[in-house]
């Protein structure tokens, strides 16, 4: 359950309370019966693991904008593994 922060608009009483998502928002100060307002704080987020940075999904020097290489020998699209060459860089350990 999340913790919400409230502040009274009359007596400036500030407090935190644990409430369910389905609970109604508090509207009355427990000290002076004044009007409460909900405070919004920054949320600390920590990204762990791979895949969160721009450089994590980049592989080698190839980019999506490079045109596909076509065969220049005029064959019908079939090739044997011995005759094809790969220009892909070796995987880094």
């Amino acid at each position: 359950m999340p913790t919400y922060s409230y502040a009274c608009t009359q007596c400036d009483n500030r407090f935190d309370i644990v409430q369910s998502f389905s609970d109604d928002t508090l509207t009355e100060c427990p000290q002076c019966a004044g009007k409460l307002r909900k405070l919004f704080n920054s949320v600390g987020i920590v990204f762990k693991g791979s895949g969160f940075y721009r450089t994590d999904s980049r592989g080698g020097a190839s980019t999506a904008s490079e045109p596909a290489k076509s065969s220049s020998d005029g064959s019908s699209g079939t090739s044997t593994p011995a005759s094809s060459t790969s220009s892909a860089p070796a995987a880094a350990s």
Side-chain angles (χ1 to χ4, degrees), residues 10-31:
Q10 293 179 2
C11 69
D12 202 33
N13 176 30
R14 292 175 182 249
F15 62 95
D16 296 334
I17 188 166
V18 177
Q19 289 181 299
S20 174
F21 289 109
S22 61
D23 291 345
D24 291 332
T25 303
L26 299 180
T27 56
E28 189 174 293
C29 178
Q31 286 187 348

Side-chain angles (χ1 to χ4, degrees), residues 31 33 46-47 55-56 59-60 66 75 88:
Q31 286 187 348
V46 177
F47 295 107
T55 56
D56 285 348
E66 287 182 9
S75 65

